[in-house]
Amino acid sequence: MTDTLRLRRPDDWHVHLRDGAMLAAVADATARQFARAIVMPNLKPPVTTVAAAAAYRDRIRAAVSPGLNFEPLMTCYLVDGIDPDELVRGHGEGVFTAAKLYPAHATTNSAHGVTDVRHIHAALEAMQRIGMPLLIHGEVTDHTVDVFDREAAFIDRVLNGVVRDFPELRIVFEHITTKDAVDFVAEAGPNIAATITPHHLAINRNAMFDGGMRPHFYCLPVAKRELHRLALRAAATSGNPKFFLGTDSAPHGIEAKESDCGCAGIYNAPFAIESYARTFEEEGALDRLEGFASEYGPAFYRLPLNADVITLERVPTPVPARLAAAGTEIVPFHAGETLAWRFLG
Ligand code: NCD
Ligand code: ZN
C-alpha cells in the first residue's frame, strides 16, 4: 500500500475567503495547501469593480502568513447591466481572472445577483470575445421548483440558452451536484468545464437529516441523492480534464449555522486535499488525483502548472470538532472524523 503521496501543488478553483477577521482566520488554511485560488466575490457589498477587486486582493495577500506562497485570483460579481468595459479593463490589467454569475437570491450574499441573463448579454459578449471565463452558480430561484431540482432546471431553462447564444464562451459550471450536470458538461464542447467539491463527493442529502437536523452539512447547491453523488465521484476520478478541483469552502460562524435560519456553506479548507484523497482512494483512483487537483484547472484557465510538490502521508488524522475563528468557532467538514491522509506541506 502507498504510504506517501506526492503531487504537483494543487489550486482551488472556487473558494470563499470572506473579509476582515474571518479572512484573517481562514486565509492560511487555503494558502497552506493551494498555490492559487479563484476567490469568490460575494462580499457585502459584492466585488463589482476593478478597484474593489484589487483592494480585496491586497487584503487577502496581507492576511496570508509570510512564507506561504499564495496567489489570489480575483473574480467580478456580475450584476444586471454591468459595464462590459469594466470587465475587459479588469481582465486586461490582470485583476479579474473571471466573472461570476449568481442568479439573484440563489445563495449566500447573492441579493445583488443577476435577475435575468438577458441583462448581462453585453458582458457575456465581451467575455466571449476576450476569452474571459464565466463562472456559474447553476440554480434557478423559482420557488415552485423543488430545491433539489434547481440545478437540473437551470440547465434546461438558462444554461442551454447561454451556450447556444455564446458558443465560444468559456464556462465553468461551479460546484456541480447532479448527474444531469455531469452529463451536460461531459457532452458539451471543450470550452465548458466544472468544479466538484470535497463534500459533494462525500455526502448525499441524507447527511443533513441523520438522526436530526444537521446544519453543518447544509450548503448550496444542496447535496442530492446517492445516484448523483456516485455520478460526481465517477466524473472526478475519470481522468476527464473537464472536471477539476474547487472546494467551495464557505466558512460561517457556528451561531450563523445553528440558527432558526442557518446559513448555507461548508468549511472544508483545513482538510481539503485530505478529503479529496480519501474519495480518490476509495475509488481506487489515487493515481488520478494529481490531474484533477493540479493539472486540469490550470489547463482550462490557461495558466502555468505549479512547479512545486506537496506531500501527504498515511497517518490517522483527526479533524477537530470545532476551530476557533474570528471571535467565534467554525465546525469544519469531517468534524470529529479521522481521515487516513495527512497533508505535510
Ligand atoms: C456560499 C457562501 O457561503 O458564500 N455558500 C454555499 O453554500 N456554498 C455561497 C455559494 O457558493 O453558493
Ligand atoms: Zn461558492
Side-chain angles (χ1 to χ4, degrees):
M1 209 177 353
T2 329
D3 288 321
T4 306
L5 257 178
R6 286 199 183 80
L7 304 178
R8 185 186 295 281
R9 185 173 295 277
D11 305 295
D12 185 352
W13 300 99
H14 181 129
V15 71
H16 299 269
L17 293 179
R18 313 302 192 204
D19 211 346
M22 190 59 93
L23 168 63
V26 304
D28 278 359
T30 292
R32 273 175 71 234
Q33 298 200 341
F34 300 104
R36 297 168 288 200
I38 288 277
V39 180
M40 289 296 121
N42 63 331
L43 303 182
K44 281 180 176 173
V47 178
T48 58
T49 64
V50 183
Y56 184 32
R57 184 169 64 181
D58 289 344
R59 295 197 296 280
I60 295 168
R61 286 178 174 152
V64 171
S65 294
L68 291 176
N69 230 331
F70 177 68
E71 181 62 18
L73 303 174
M74 309 310 290
T75 56
C76 180
Y77 183 115
L78 295 173
V79 294
D80 285 353
I82 192 164
D83 179 4
D85 293 344
E86 187 74 3
L87 292 167
V88 172
R89 184 170 69 85
H91 191 61
E93 291 177 7
V95 177
F96 288 146
T97 298
K100 177 70 187 261
L101 166 55
Y102 288 106
H105 305 290
T107 186
T108 311
N109 296 348
S110 64
H112 301 276
V114 174
T115 58
D116 189 312
V117 283
R118 279 175 303 189
H119 298 144
I120 57 164
H121 262 206
L124 299 185
E125 235 157 55
M127 291 170 65
Q128 175 172 255
R129 190 180 70 241
I130 66 175
M132 180 178 181
L134 172 69
L135 317 184
I136 300 185
H137 183 110
E139 289 191 287
V140 296
T141 55
D142 179 343
H143 286 267
T144 65
V145 176
D146 192 281
V147 68
F148 296 100
D149 295 334
R150 288 183 184 176
E151 185 173 282
F154 185 89
I155 297 171
D156 290 344
R157 294 189 189 179
V158 183
L159 193 50
N160 277 321
V162 172
V163 172
R164 182 193 61 227
D165 294 345
F166 304 97
E168 304 298 322
L169 183 60
R170 300 170 61 229
I171 295 174
V172 184
F173 196 168
E174 301 279 73
H175 42 51
I176 58 170
T177 62
T178 57
K179 179 174 188 308
D180 310 66
V182 167
D183 293 345
F184 174 86
V185 170
E187 287 159 22
N191 52 318
I192 298 176
T195 53
I196 306 182
T197 74
H199 42 281
H200 291 110
L201 293 169
I203 61 168
N204 61 32
R205 63 191 191 176
N206 290 338
M208 289 182 292
F209 309 107
D210 189 8
M213 297 285 283
R214 303 281 187 165
H216 300 289
F217 293 116
Y218 174 57
C219 66
L220 287 169
V222 71
K224 308 293 193 300
R225 288 177 182 275
E226 178 66 355
L227 76 91
H228 297 294
R229 186 182 76 103
L230 295 178
L232 295 170
R233 288 168 74 95
T237 59
S238 66
N240 182 340
K242 284 167 156 279
F243 300 100
F244 49 82
L245 185 157
T247 64
D248 196 17
S249 182
H252 292 280
I254 192 166
E255 67 291 339
K257 295 287 291 175
E258 298 180 6
S259 147
D260 64 353
C261 186
C263 290
I266 292 177
Y267 181 52
N268 57 34
F271 297 90
I273 197 68
E274 295 92 328
S275 182
Y276 284 115
R278 178 162 94 173
T279 289
F280 276 70
E281 179 155 58
E282 286 168 353
E283 295 293 325
L286 272 179
D287 57 328
R288 296 197 170 153
L289 179 58
E290 185 172 43
F292 175 83
S294 317
E295 293 173 356
Y296 307 153
F300 185 86
Y301 277 90
R302 300 177 177 162
L303 291 168
L305 297 175
N306 297 318
D308 62 328
V309 166
I310 63 164
T311 305
L312 286 88
E313 201 177 35
R314 188 186 296 285
V315 179
T317 302
V319 176
R322 295 177 178 203
L323 297 167
T328 179
E329 289 177 309
I330 308 178
V331 176
F333 189 49
H334 296 302
E337 291 180 61
T338 298
L339 300 172
W341 290 96
R342 174 175 299 171
F343 171 80
L344 291 183

